[in-house]
Amino acid sequence: MPTPLAQPLSSQGLETQADIHANLGTAQLVESAVRSGEGELSRYGSLVVKTGAHTGRSAKDKFIVRDDTTEDTVWWGKVNVDMSPEHFAALKEDFLAALDDKKELYVADLFGGSQPEHRVNVRVINELAWHNLFIRTMLVRPTVEELGDFAPEYTIIDLPSFRADPARHGTRSETVIAVNLSEKLILIGGTQYAGEMKKSVFGILNYLLPAKGVMPMHCSANVGADGKTAIFFGLSGTGKTTLSADASRTLIGDDEHGWSDTAVFNFEGGCYAKMIRLSEEAEPEIFATTRKFGTVLENVVMDPVSRDLDFDDNSLAENTRGAYPLEYIPNTSADNLGPVPKNVIMLTADAFGVLPPIARLTPEQAMYHFLSGYTAKVAGTEIGVTEPEATFSTCFGAPFMPRHPSVYGNLLKQRIAEGGAQCWLVNTGWTGGKYGVGNRMPIKATRALLNAALDGSLNNVEFRQDPNFGFDVPVAVPGVDDAILDPRSTWADKADYDQTAAKLVRLFIDNFAEFESHVDEAVRQAAPNASIPA
């Protein structure tokens, strides 16, 4: 049953003539979406929708209002672009006028964060029923009792039909994601990509939690049978969701978490997994969610007659996605949280074929690689990319980090020291040569090495020091081919390996230059070996 709003929109100064559909359940929202022509049901009961021109985040259309609150607390630059209070005021005026003009609106009161003392109350207002279903799936759903006295702290208004005016609103285009941290208001217009809402809440928590000493993280997390938590940092395509969805471990979440004094807690109540080329054999748990009522599938191609799904067809988008509740994955945490982590995994897909499949990091090396946030694009993924291309996204999530990266880096270092966590760098990329020459790291070997790291047995093997990066690399691990542990030995052309390794080292050093003045000498000494000739 729907639950009325404890505080009406009018109490927030939001006036509208629309019929308000408040806190609807999954079935009601699916019905509304289908009735309105927003989506169609697959033969399995999942809701299939299209997001139109925007099939991913519009990073260049996101702005943060620059005022007395944010002037000295936001890391301004290419990622966090400012908007003047005057432009936001004009944008807000036009948004509220558009809101007043709607016939129907869907409103959901939700939590960002599972640990009660660190969560934030978020009200989301949508013109599309499927958007409301999406965000209700992705955030933490309050109980009926909690909704009874729910007081919104932050409000998101998402109107895809709204078109921004660059001259009047100070935007780059007709698409806008405007964040006002002083007014606690986020306005999203001109895009149907639902992920903008999810990441806006992540941005709020990334801004608020460091001031409380809580580490916000773009990572997945799970717990072993021994009760020990592992967290997995990683950019898109590195295996963050796949490796954390391990049937032998309890899943906390696949994307966004906080690390407090007492727990690792999920910011969300759902998962948002890539669907392109999904197979039942490789990822059975995720595949099963596509056949459940309530799952939202974005830009997945469906046969109009049979309603069968084709996960290999990227004609609508390469970034096809599925949103589903956490409980659709077997063996998930009932409380959406777990103990503080004993293992910190940093995932990278090194398309240069230089990094070993696993390396043990000191706390200083962990901070260095966390601030670096390295992975690599491969040839063919984007127009103009003809060979591996390094990508550095600080903290493994630069687009969502409002504060300076050193804030998050120092928090991580502090948390590692206090909890005694062991840190690992895991390469899920290439071995035997760069992309186009070598092969993708065998998933079986990655899982075997991860299992050895997580159960502690990897600490008992012999290690060598990598001459390029200085971290410790195992020499031999039971059940794993010794050859892949030494990347250089897998290359037919050793001179080419040395040249490629030197190039990657230089890319790391050049990228880290902007952080050197914000870290201590021990972290600066954790840099790769710059003396190796390129």
Side-chain angles (χ1 to χ4, degrees):
M1 291 292 292
T3 304
L5 300 175
Q7 291 190 12
L9 297 186
S10 58
S11 69
Q12 300 175 267
L14 303 176
E15 301 294 340
T16 179
Q17 303 301 310
D19 290 333
I20 304 298
H21 304 290
N23 295 313
L24 297 186
T26 297
Q28 294 164 311
L29 288 168
V30 170
E31 285 175 348
S32 294
V34 173
R35 185 174 59 247
S36 302
E38 298 173 12
E40 297 180 295
L41 290 179
S42 74
R43 63 178 295 188
Y44 310 106
S46 46
L47 181 66
V48 181
V49 298
K50 297 176 183 177
T51 64
H54 295 272
T55 59
R57 290 183 304 103
S58 300
K60 294 181 179 179
D61 294 306
K62 178 191 168 189
F63 303 88
I64 299 176
V65 176
R66 192 168 192 155
D67 56 20
D68 291 343
T69 299
T70 58
E71 177 65 45
D72 298 322
T73 54
V74 168
W75 182 42
W76 302 107
K78 290 185 296 184
V79 171
N80 297 308
V81 180
D82 65 336
M83 173 180 278
S84 72
E86 293 77 18
H87 278 136
F88 185 84
L91 182 68
K92 178 181 176 182
E93 179 184 346
D94 294 345
F95 250 83
L96 297 190
L99 199 69
D100 189 29
D101 205 33
K102 297 299 173 189
K103 293 182 179 180
E104 289 186 296
L105 289 171
Y106 300 87
V107 183
D109 287 337
L110 302 158
F111 295 132
S114 299
Q115 194 169 11
E117 57 267 42
H118 300 307
R119 70 190 181 196
V120 62
N121 294 4
V122 181
R123 169 167 289 176
V124 186
I125 303 169
N126 300 111
E127 65 175 313
L128 297 178
W130 85 260
H131 270 196
N132 206 242
L133 173 61
F134 171 91
I135 199 62
R136 184 181 179 275
T137 300
M138 292 311 306
L139 295 187
V140 178
R141 297 166 288 282
T143 63
V144 172
E145 291 73 25
E146 288 169 332
L147 285 173
D149 60 359
F150 189 97
E153 298 170 74
Y154 285 80
T155 300
I156 297 172
I157 304 175
D158 190 338
L159 305 178
S161 64
F162 184 89
R163 295 293 180 265
D165 179 351
R168 174 168 163 77
H169 303 134
T171 59
R172 187 186 69 97
S173 70
E174 292 185 337
T175 299
V176 63
I177 302 95
V179 180
N180 191 318
L181 292 165
S182 298
E183 294 189 25
K184 301 183 177 180
L185 178 64
I186 298 172
L187 305 176
I188 303 173
T191 172
Q192 288 193 57
Y193 182 67
E196 299 287 9
M197 294 181 286
K198 160 189 158 71
K199 289 305 184 186
S200 292
V201 177
F202 189 34
I204 291 170
L205 290 165
N206 281 329
Y207 182 77
L208 296 176
L209 292 182
K212 301 172 68 175
V214 176
M215 173 69 185
M217 303 175 292
H218 187 213
C219 71
S220 57
N222 61 26
V223 183
D226 56 4
K228 295 179 180 179
T229 300
I231 58 176
F232 301 78
F233 290 103
L235 298 170
S236 180
T238 58
K240 182 162 51 73
T241 298
T242 300
L243 291 172
S244 61
D246 184 331
S248 68
R249 298 175 65 85
T250 299
L251 180 69
I252 301 174
D254 79 325
D255 197 36
E256 302 170 3
H257 295 81
W259 184 347
S260 69
D261 290 334
T262 59
V264 166
F265 62 97
N266 196 348
F267 288 168
E268 303 183 308
C271 298
Y272 193 36
K274 282 195 170 184
M275 292 287 138
I276 194 68
R277 289 175 284 280
L278 179 70
S279 77
E280 186 172 15
E281 181 181 2
E283 299 177 86
E285 294 87 3
I286 297 174
F287 186 87
T289 68
T290 68
R291 301 188 170 201
K292 290 182 178 290
F293 180 80
T295 291
V296 181
L297 298 177
E298 294 179 352
N299 301 313
V300 172
V301 173
M302 180 175 71
D303 185 281
V305 178
S306 68
R307 302 293 179 98
D308 273 327
L309 303 169
D310 185 349
F311 297 109
D312 294 323
D313 190 334
N314 65 352
S315 59
L316 292 176
E318 181 71 20
N319 187 37
T320 57
R321 292 274 181 166
Y324 49 86
L326 264 172
E327 58 264 28
Y328 282 10
I329 295 288
N331 202 27
T332 53
S333 167
D335 298 321
N336 231 10
L337 50 79
V340 296
K342 290 301 179 184
N343 284 282
V344 175
I345 315 295
M346 297 183 189
L347 300 169
T348 180
D350 176 28
F352 291 93
V354 168
L355 296 179
I358 196 166
R360 185 173 61 188
L361 306 178
T362 66
E364 292 75 21
Q365 288 169 336
M367 184 171 175
Y368 184 95
H369 284 275
F370 178 70
L371 288 176
S372 297
Y374 166 70
T375 192
K377 296 176 184 176
V378 298
T381 57
E382 292 184 12
I383 295 173
V385 179
T386 57
E387 61 179 37
E389 185 176 292
T391 298
F392 294 94
S393 184
T394 186
C395 307
F396 294 98
F400 324 117
M401 304 295 175
R403 298 183 183 270
H404 192 279
S406 62
V407 172
Y408 308 105
N410 284 317
L411 257 177
L412 179 67
K413 187 180 175 185
Q414 174 189 336
R415 287 294 179 196
I416 290 170
E418 290 173 350
Q422 180 60 63
C423 302
W424 308 89
L425 182 70
V426 172
N427 174 24
T428 61
W430 273 256
T431 182
K434 65 184 72 173
Y435 175 82
V437 178
N439 300 300
R440 193 75 190 253
M441 197 72 69
I443 185 67
K444 185 177 179 181
T446 299
R447 286 201 180 277
L449 291 168
L450 264 179
N451 290 338
L454 298 181
D455 68 20
S457 61
L458 193 57
N459 283 312
N460 301 323
V461 306
E462 180 186 353
F463 284 81
R464 64 176 178 85
Q465 188 177 71
D466 185 271
N468 299 303
F469 287 84
F471 40 49
D472 290 337
V473 180
V475 174
V477 177
V480 177
D481 181 2
D482 292 354
I484 70 168
L485 296 173
D486 180 5
R488 188 175 187 272
S489 72
T490 67
W491 282 53
D493 187 336
K494 303 298 190 286
D496 189 17
Y497 172 86
D498 293 338
Q499 186 177 16
T500 305
K503 175 184 176 181
L504 184 59
V505 164
R506 175 49 56 192
L507 289 170
F508 264 88
I509 291 171
D510 290 347
N511 172 75
F512 202 80
E514 65 177 312
F515 305 124
E516 286 189 344
S517 62
H518 298 278
V519 300
D520 60 32
E521 181 60 22
V523 175
R524 288 193 287 270
Q525 289 298 317
N529 184 2
S531 65
I532 297 175

